[in-house]
Amino acid sequence: MVEVKIGLEIHCQLTGLNSKLFCPCQCDYQGEVPNTTVCPICLGLPGTLPLLNKMAVAFASMISLALGCKVQERIMFYRKNYFYPDLPKNFQITQYNAYGITSIGAEGKVDLGAKSIGIRRVQLEEDPGRLIYENADVNANFYTLIDYNRAGVALVEIVTEPDFDNPKDVRLFLDKVTSTIEHLGVCDIKLDGSLRCDVNVSLKEGKKVEIKNINSFGDVEKAIRYEITRQKTMSIREIEIKSETRHWDDARKVTMQSRTKEEEQDYRYFPEPDIPTIILGDQFISTIKTKMPELPDERKIRFLKDYALSDHVAKVLIDNKELADFFESTVKLYPSSPNEIAHWIISDLLGLIDDIKKEERSLLSGLRIEPKHIAELVKMIDQNKINRNIAKSVLSQITRTGEMPSYVLDKMNASLIDNESKIAEAIDSIFELEISAVRDAKQNPNAMNFLLGKVMQMTRGRADPKITLNLIKARLAKME
Amino acid sequence: MPNHLYRLTANQVTCGIKNGQFSAQEYIFQILERIEKVDNKVNAFVLVDKQGAIEKALSIDKRLRDGEAVGELAGVAVGIKDNICIKDLKTTCASNILESYIPPYDASVIRSLKENDAIIVGKLNLDEFAMGSTTEFSRYGPTRNPWNLEYVAGGSSGGSAASVAASECAVSLGSDTGGSIRCPSSFCSVVGLKPTYGCVSRSGLISYSNSLEQIGPVGKTVLDVVMVMNSIAGIDENDQTTKPIRPIATLTSEDITKSNISSKYTADQNKRNITIGLVKELIEGADPAVSKCIYSAVDLFEGSDCKCEETSMKSIQYALASYYTIATAEASSNLARYDNIRYGFEYDPEGYEWNTYFSNVRNNFGDEVKRRIIIGSYVLSAGYYGKYYLRAHIAREMIRQEIKSLFERFDVLIGPTMPILPFKIGQKIDDPLKMYQIDIDTVIANLAGIPAISMPIGFSNSFPVGLQIMADDMCEQTLFDVASFFEKIVDVRRSPEI
Amino acid sequence: MVSKDEIKHLGWLSRLELTTEELDRYVSQIDEIVRYFDKLDTIPLSESEWTYSTKEVSELREDANRVFKWEKLQSLKNRKDGFIKGPKMS
Ligand SMILES: [Zn+2]
């Protein structure tokens, strides 16, 4: 098998800030009227100077620490010079490490269990504005509409070493980084465009191909798979693979050659003279460390220890902060069965959520479910007031109505049939109907399950399966 | 009412108005009349805000009549270099590309001047985007030297120096990236200061080279320059490269408690025992017509209790190359934003491919600006960053270190501001390198970030000669003390016949 | 020696389309100027700190948002339905 090398560049908007990276305009541009969250600074009007946001530096430091990076004592900003109509100054203020490490974080490491992924750097930079085309076909437009509301929003760019050799690990890594960012509270990952990812793919010894414009994390895996196949096919046919930038075509799910040639670019980086060298210093870094919230790895260890969850269950919960938080709130309400609660959340509740929502990572929005519902449901199961099958349908109803499980249960009049004579009546009629199955069951104990199923069907699931099975066994024994 | 109010210094104006000798309105009418009369010859102003000036004067007079307080620069007519933004007033940088640009905000220095009740009379001519040493590269044509209208006024703040010299305003603001305040101040026989880097906010100054430039005042006297500095200097939240100033550096803490000038610069003419370093390389490189004038001034200082010693500054050999590398590099990036999309002149982008539109628009830059953009791109480009930009930066650090060590021995360093006398308009315009080389004496202070002042020291062949005094980082007060002391000794203040 | 192609490429990077006359003139002028810059070549490359301006984190801007009041939008042009109209991208 040909060796593959994959590296990532993740852009994370610091939506947890109030203002943009270099000006006091509000950071949240979603749903705002075009060009209304703008000021002379983020529009790059002549004479304006960037005013670096203190909290953005703190957030980026937190991300760096969470990804195992060394936070630099002195940081600097650089200008990346290139023309593009979404760029108000025709340069982007970013960070750059070619002439000494001055980005906020560097040399980090993220543990994926079996292997670890190196973090080359974590840096702060500004987002450009947005170009809008009235006609979906770019070529058909005679002009472009520009909205600068996004221009100047703080981005943290996370650049990994090319340490991945398969798309699966990429997915694992992205899940972990996403959860980390959520736990830090620096970015609302549910917002459209708040997390973006570019990918570098190369075959062993081969040229590096960059893939941009991958809008959803779910497509990252697809894009990598496509690109590996494309490059492998080319190398089998002995076609030269060029170092280039390709775009992910969201509709057709393929990578496409970009129009602008990379070799024409020369970004002429140089230190941004309007922003002083920022001295972070030990005191700042130690203050940040004490303010760091619990991170996914720490939380997982705690979940394993405090709730005796399995590794897998803990991971699924923690990969999505929303689930982990939901779980803990539920356990607080009903501390007796954390494992049962976890299973109800990750298998039954997650089963009710469609894939699109999962991809958007907005799992519980739209469902009228709260921790108190799961807490009561699990408690009722523990007390044998309801069996699992009924609990499942109760759950599905709760998510639509928001009613309490006990109320739903009463309404369904579905209290468990624990009256043995009623079950016995049902068994009698099944034994009369399924003579051959009864015969089988006498020889093969596994066939008893068929009879159990039939009884459950007849009682519309209200019979206690344990009692029913015992009664069936007793009845069979009597026949011998 | 005294005649020739327009000739008064800023200090005389505020005193006269506050003491009721004349009104702000009477004064400003004379200033506007003066501009009308002489500016068609000098070409210092590119825009005169008559209405704004008169309204401000009336408001000052009203407040004085009502017994209300007025600011420290009350009534003083100030001209502003046209690369400093004034809200709702056209700001063009003397460039076609900004011919119709109206800023929606005031530069921080403008806000300070307005708060101190200065009267802003208009915008002053400059080389396009402040790139030049003669004010010939302007869409409005060259500013002429009030001492001889056939000659250059110096640049790039030619309008700022010529307007003060011609008494079209009492003081003005210029910007100094490599000598742009001091050069024209020397050529026009006025006092011009480039403050320490970070001493005055650059917010609202349209950038040419951000790491080098500062806004600074031009005036007829050192005291006038000090008065403007007291209004504009200090830390500003809109410019993160500003630093807290040290206005009272030469005063002991005892002095501070005794005086009421705790947070102000002063112009104390009684400074004594000054140790002066005369920079050999600067004086040797100068035209004899200039150096002769400097030497006779030095004789006067030595006869007045000052210790004057010749000293050498080896790193000067790298100054000009370092300066032009850094300045053009930063300029090439600063000027990228002029793509005419968000602001600019009327030119509908519809139908144009974006690269074509950008190129068409940017063709409106003048020759010198285009040249510097390309040089700047060159020194930053992939193959040359290490060869030029990085080394320019190292040279800059060498210069800074050497200067620092010199200030362990001297209070101030002096030399000529300009190595030559003013020359005829058009004489050097076709040879860019020759033009750059006349900046050799002034770029040092910008590279080192230190304050430097140019003050009139005499005349040679009836052209003004300026003395440049440099002081250590944030030692503006030393500079003011020494300059006022020299000013008293040499006493060359005259006005051009115009 | 600075070449014509180099200047042309730098012109493209700066979105300056130079005429043949300009190109010829700039090649010789810029060649002379960068030759002068070659003075810098004698300086040994060394580690040097970028020190002309430094700040502590505590001196940076507080993260508070403030709305900029555009009185009249005279400084922004080419507006269409609230957007700013730009050239076509292809
Ligand atoms: Zn803004």
Side-chain angles (χ1 to χ4, degrees):
Chain A
M1 195 189 137
V2 193
E3 199 189 315
V4 181
K5 269 171 140 181
I6 306 162
L8 304 178
E9 282 172 24
I10 301 164
H11 286 97
C12 165
Q13 280 181 341
L14 298 182
T15 61
L17 294 173
N18 295 315
S19 64
K20 292 183 180 181
L21 183 54
F22 297 122
C23 67
C25 288
Q26 80 177 46
C27 162
D28 181 9
Y29 61 89
Q30 309 263 358
E32 296 287 346
V33 175
N35 300 307
T36 52
T37 60
V38 292
C39 73
I41 298 175
C42 53
L43 286 176
L45 257 48
T48 54
L49 302 171
L51 305 173
L52 179 58
N53 184 334
K54 187 189 286 184
M55 195 56 86
V57 176
F59 279 6
S61 306
M62 283 164 66
I63 293 175
S64 301
L65 289 171
L67 300 179
C69 290
K70 254 200 320 235
V71 172
Q72 305 302 308
E73 224 164 279
R74 291 165 158 256
I75 61 165
M76 280 169 59
F77 287 83
Y78 274 76
R79 287 189 187 176
K80 180 181 185 180
N81 293 290
Y82 66 98
F83 283 84
Y84 211 70
D86 63 4
L87 215 51
K89 304 182 288 292
N90 284 315
F91 62 78
Q92 181 196 32
I93 303 179
T94 178
Q95 298 194 282
Y96 192 56
N97 285 344
Y99 311 106
I101 294 173
T102 55
S103 73
I104 202 151
E107 296 162 351
K109 209 167 163 191
V110 170
D111 192 23
L112 289 188
K115 62 154 49 157
S116 66
I117 302 299
I119 304 293
R120 187 174 290 172
R121 63 171 188 274
V122 172
Q123 68 185 32
L124 266 173
E125 60 187 34
E126 53 181 345
D127 217 352
R130 285 185 318 128
L131 301 181
I132 288 110
Y133 306 103
E134 284 179 339
N135 193 320
D137 175 11
V138 177
N139 298 307
N141 290 283
F142 284 95
Y143 54 85
T144 312
L145 297 178
I146 315 173
D147 175 11
Y148 292 102
N149 282 349
R150 195 180 69 179
V153 168
L155 288 180
V156 161
E157 189 188 36
I158 301 162
V159 182
T160 76
E161 297 292 345
D163 287 349
F164 300 94
D165 54 19
N166 67 76
K168 234 193 193 132
D169 283 350
V170 170
R171 183 73 218 202
L172 281 177
F173 176 84
L174 288 177
D175 283 345
K176 184 158 184 185
V177 168
T178 309
S179 169
T180 302
I181 284 164
E182 275 192 293
H183 277 84
L184 290 172
V186 296
C187 169
D188 184 350
I189 56 158
K190 292 178 195 106
L191 291 174
D192 185 34
S194 62
L195 264 184
R196 291 152 0 217
C197 185
D198 297 340
V199 181
N200 297 308
V201 179
S202 63
L203 301 184
K204 194 183 179 173
E205 313 282 311
K207 294 259 173 64
K208 203 170 77 176
V209 174
E210 195 179 7
I211 311 164
K212 292 196 173 213
N213 197 37
I214 313 176
N215 288 320
S216 87
F217 272 20
D219 274 4
V220 170
E221 233 178 311
K222 285 178 205 150
I224 295 172
R225 284 188 205 286
Y226 177 88
E227 186 58 25
I228 291 173
T229 313
R230 187 187 71 89
Q231 290 188 23
K232 278 185 180 168
T233 314
M234 283 177 73
S235 86
I236 289 164
R237 292 185 193 159
E238 294 185 342
I239 303 169
E240 189 200 355
I241 297 164
K242 280 182 300 190
S243 175
E244 62 174 340
T245 300
R246 299 176 71 82
H247 275 73
W248 176 244
D249 186 326
D250 200 30
R252 295 165 53 205
K253 306 289 176 201
V254 296
T255 66
M256 302 276 287
Q257 197 170 4
S258 302
R259 237 179 313 248
T260 47
K261 290 195 194 94
E262 197 67 10
E263 51 265 48
E264 281 185 17
Q265 293 287 11
D266 177 351
Y267 293 122
R268 290 155 291 147
Y269 285 96
F270 75 97
E272 166 58 69
D274 288 329
I275 303 176
T277 299
I278 310 296
I279 301 162
L280 301 185
D282 295 338
Q283 211 202 325
F284 170 78
I285 294 167
S286 59
T287 313
I288 292 287
K289 276 182 181 156
T290 59
K291 279 187 192 155
M292 289 274 277
E294 187 184 36
L295 291 174
D297 281 348
E298 299 155 17
R299 195 175 198 187
K300 192 172 152 193
I301 292 168
R302 187 165 60 81
F303 274 25
L304 297 180
K305 197 171 129 256
D306 290 5
Y307 307 124
L309 301 184
S310 77
D311 202 78
H312 169 74
V313 170
K315 183 185 175 304
V316 174
L317 287 174
I318 285 165
D319 269 353
N320 202 306
K321 182 170 179 285
E322 196 181 4
L323 285 188
D325 291 348
F326 189 92
F327 165 75
E328 289 213 278
S329 309
T330 312
V331 171
K332 215 173 253 166
L333 294 173
Y334 181 61
S336 311
S337 296
N339 248 300
E340 191 70 26
I341 289 170
H343 281 288
W344 276 94
I345 292 171
I346 70 167
S347 50
D348 299 285
L349 191 54
L350 270 185
L352 295 169
I353 297 162
D354 61 42
D355 287 347
I356 297 169
K357 278 258 159 69
K358 278 181 192 158
E359 204 46 73
E360 289 169 352
R361 294 184 72 97
S362 58
L363 297 175
L364 304 176
S365 68
L367 298 185
R368 303 188 59 184
I369 192 85
E370 286 171 53
K372 63 178 184 193
H373 297 124
I374 301 288
E376 196 190 61
L377 197 67
V378 172
K379 189 175 175 186
M380 286 162 66
I381 293 165
D382 281 358
Q383 293 172 344
N384 271 328
K385 284 191 179 156
I386 187 169
N387 74 34
R388 279 172 195 286
N389 282 334
I390 295 176
K392 267 186 202 174
S393 53
V394 169
L395 176 67
S396 132
Q397 188 167 334
I398 292 167
T399 58
R400 289 189 304 271
T401 62
E403 293 158 340
M404 287 305 285
S406 50
Y407 176 79
V408 176
L409 199 59
D410 282 350
K411 242 181 29 185
M412 283 168 84
N413 191 20
S415 285
L416 215 54
I417 302 176
D418 49 7
N419 187 326
E420 292 195 12
S421 65
K422 276 195 180 152
I423 298 173
E425 267 172 40
I427 292 174
D428 283 345
S429 21
I430 292 297
F431 269 54
E432 273 167 38
L433 287 169
E434 304 285 347
I435 294 162
S436 63
V438 171
R439 206 183 302 127
D440 286 351
K442 273 191 223 165
Q443 270 119 45
N444 177 10
N446 284 336
M448 266 192 289
N449 284 331
F450 176 79
L451 294 172
L452 173 63
K454 285 287 172 192
V455 175
M456 294 306 288
Q457 213 173 11
M458 179 165 256
T459 58
R460 274 177 289 138
R462 284 175 292 167
D464 184 311
K466 256 188 224 158
I467 298 172
T468 311
L469 199 63
N470 284 337
L471 288 175
I472 292 172
K473 272 186 198 161
R475 177 83 191 255
L476 286 170
K478 241 191 339 199
M479 288 174 76
E480 272 160 20
Chain B
M1 184 181 72
N3 281 328
H4 305 318
L5 290 179
Y6 61 86
R7 286 201 190 282
L8 300 181
T9 66
N11 187 44
Q12 290 167 332
V13 171
T14 48
C15 290
I17 291 175
K18 282 181 189 167
N19 297 338
Q21 285 165 275
F22 51 88
S23 69
Q25 187 193 357
E26 286 164 337
Y27 167 70
I28 214 67
F29 276 148
Q30 281 206 18
I31 285 284
L32 294 172
E33 201 180 304
R34 172 76 177 168
I35 294 171
E36 198 124 298
K37 201 174 138 210
V38 301
D39 205 59
N40 56 351
K41 296 176 206 155
V42 180
N43 196 29
F45 278 88
V46 302
L47 182 149
V48 179
D49 183 19
K50 260 190 192 169
Q51 197 195 336
I54 293 168
E55 276 170 15
K56 182 79 181 184
L58 292 175
S59 119
I60 292 165
D61 288 338
K62 181 176 187 306
R63 274 181 286 153
L64 281 170
R65 274 199 311 276
D66 296 350
E68 286 174 40
V70 289
E72 286 179 33
L73 292 174
V76 175
V78 185
I80 306 294
K81 189 177 181 179
D82 201 26
N83 60 350
I84 297 170
C85 294
I86 302 179
K87 193 176 164 207
D88 298 337
L89 217 54
K90 231 178 355 174
T91 298
T92 69
C93 285
S95 178
N96 288 331
I97 214 152
L98 285 180
E99 63 175 20
S100 52
Y101 177 65
I102 297 170
Y105 72 103
D106 273 332
S108 293
V109 292
I110 297 300
R111 215 176 313 132
S112 305
L113 290 178
K114 286 180 174 174
E115 279 164 13
N116 281 290
D117 287 325
I119 300 178
I120 293 166
V121 286
K123 304 302 290 283
L124 298 165
N125 203 6
L126 69 155
D127 286 296
E128 184 177 1
F129 284 100
M131 296 182 189
S133 310
T134 59
T135 318
E136 291 171 286
F137 298 116
S138 162
R139 75 183 292 265
Y140 305 103
T143 291
R144 293 166 181 278
N145 194 318
W147 296 92
N148 185 331
L149 297 171
E150 301 301 305
Y151 282 66
V152 298
S156 64
S157 313
S160 306
S163 60
V164 172
S167 293
E168 296 176 80
C169 52
V171 287
S172 66
L173 290 186
S175 68
D176 190 313
T177 312
S180 285
I181 288 173
R182 289 160 290 155
C183 159
S185 295
S186 171
F187 279 6
C188 297
S189 199
V190 288
V191 183
L193 169 77
K194 184 215 83 93
T196 302
Y197 187 80
C199 189
V200 175
S201 171
R202 288 181 295 116
S203 173
L205 168 66
I206 298 182
S207 303
Y208 154 28
S209 179
N210 330 45
S211 78
L212 294 162
E213 63 205 5
Q214 278 286 288
I215 291 174
V218 175
K220 292 175 177 172
T221 63
V222 176
L223 179 60
D224 279 8
V225 163
V226 170
M227 284 174 67
V228 176
M229 278 300 278
N230 280 334
S231 157
I232 64 173
I235 201 153
D236 175 28
E237 60 172 23
N238 292 316
D239 177 358
Q240 291 185 334
T241 62
T242 51
K243 299 181 278 193
I245 57 169
R246 296 209 307 258
I248 37 162
T250 60
L251 300 181
T252 64
S253 54
E254 204 185 339
D255 291 332
I256 299 166
T257 47
K258 269 193 279 181
S259 67
N260 57 357
I261 48 159
S262 59
S263 64
K264 299 283 175 183
Y265 294 116
T266 59
D268 174 8
Q269 303 192 328
N270 304 312
K271 174 91 178 161
R272 285 290 181 279
N273 300 321
I274 307 163
T275 49
I276 301 167
L278 180 62
V279 184
K280 199 178 81 186
E281 285 80 0
L282 298 188
I283 200 131
E284 279 172 358
D287 185 322
V290 172
S291 48
K292 210 179 72 194
C293 218
I294 301 289
Y295 278 127
S296 44
V298 168
D299 288 344
L300 280 176
F301 302 154
E302 282 184 319
S304 315
D305 227 9
C306 295
K307 242 173 59 196
C308 203
E309 192 188 308
E310 204 174 68
T311 185
S312 170
M313 205 195 287
K314 300 265 179 316
S315 54
I316 281 182
Q317 57 175 318
Y318 301 121
L320 209 61
S322 170
Y323 169 79
Y324 271 98
T325 300
I326 292 168
T328 55
E330 290 179 4
S332 71
S333 169
N334 288 329
L335 270 58
R337 74 189 63 196
Y338 302 107
D339 57 21
N340 211 48
I341 290 187
R342 294 155 298 276
Y343 47 87
F345 48 87
E346 279 309 313
Y347 181 42
D348 194 343
E350 185 167 334
Y352 289 97
E353 189 273 331
W354 70 277
N355 289 298
T356 312
Y357 184 78
F358 280 17
S359 299
N360 288 354
V361 162
R362 290 168 63 77
N363 206 26
N364 283 287
F365 282 128
D367 195 55
E368 180 61 18
V369 171
K370 284 192 209 170
R371 187 158 39 237
R372 292 199 194 192
I373 289 174
I374 290 183
I375 298 170
S377 257
Y378 182 89
V379 296
L380 286 176
S381 61
Y384 297 115
Y385 185 92
K387 185 173 161 67
Y388 297 113
Y389 187 80
L390 212 54
R391 281 196 165 83
H393 172 59
I394 294 166
R396 183 177 186 176
E397 206 51 45
M398 281 167 60
I399 291 163
R400 187 193 299 270
Q401 292 304 330
E402 190 173 10
I403 287 212
K404 210 174 171 185
S405 68
L406 285 174
F407 282 121
E408 283 165 13
R409 289 164 50 208
F410 302 106
D411 291 325
V412 290
L413 297 172
I414 65 164
T417 305
M418 297 303 291
I420 52 170
L421 294 174
F423 45 90
K424 273 202 163 150
I425 290 169
Q427 194 182 315
K428 288 189 197 292
I429 201 159
D430 293 324
D431 190 339
L433 185 57
K434 276 235 172 69
M435 189 79 110
Y436 296 174
Q437 281 165 336
I438 68 172
D439 295 341
I440 178 67
D441 298 349
T442 46
V443 296
I444 299 160
N446 301 84
L447 288 166
I450 57 168
I453 199 166
S454 176
M455 57 179 292
I457 201 76
F459 288 82
S460 195
N461 312 329
S462 63
F463 285 105
V465 174
L467 174 77
Q468 181 176 219
I469 314 169
M470 293 183 266
D472 201 359
D473 198 63
M474 283 293 169
C475 292
E476 266 77 1
Q477 188 57 66
T478 310
L479 213 50
F480 297 150
D481 290 343
V482 172
S484 346
F485 178 62
F486 290 177
E487 191 177 47
K488 200 168 84 181
I489 297 171
V490 294
D491 192 23
V492 290
R493 229 189 98 202
R494 288 199 250 147
S495 292
E497 288 306 316
I498 177 167
Chain C
M1 181 77 200
V2 176
S3 75
K4 225 180 224 188
D5 281 347
E6 243 175 331
I7 299 297
K8 219 172 172 172
H9 176 65
L10 293 168
W12 158 252
L13 285 180
S14 311
R15 296 303 182 277
L16 292 174
E17 208 173 285
L18 305 174
T19 62
T20 337
E21 182 273 326
E22 278 175 320
L23 198 58
D24 289 337
R25 198 152 42 82
Y26 285 170
V27 167
S28 71
Q29 287 173 339
I30 292 172
D31 186 62
E32 193 189 355
I33 291 163
V34 298
R35 268 167 206 270
Y36 179 80
F37 289 177
D38 283 344
K39 243 180 222 288
L40 297 170
D41 262 352
T42 55
I43 300 173
L45 276 179
S46 63
E47 282 283 315
S48 78
E49 296 246 302
W50 197 264
T51 53
Y52 75 89
S53 182
T54 58
K55 278 265 152 91
E56 306 270 338
V57 181
S58 60
E59 297 172 274
L60 300 177
R61 179 175 60 83
E62 294 294 340
D63 178 35
N65 61 330
R66 198 171 64 220
V67 178
F68 182 81
K69 277 210 195 101
W70 297 90
E71 277 160 28
K72 19 183 178 165
L73 283 163
Q74 84 266 57
S75 24
L76 291 187
K77 46 170 226 143
N78 292 335
R79 292 173 78 86
K80 188 179 191 296
D81 312 329
F83 290 100
I84 288 169
K85 200 164 101 178
K88 56 182 187 158
M89 295 309 295
S90 53

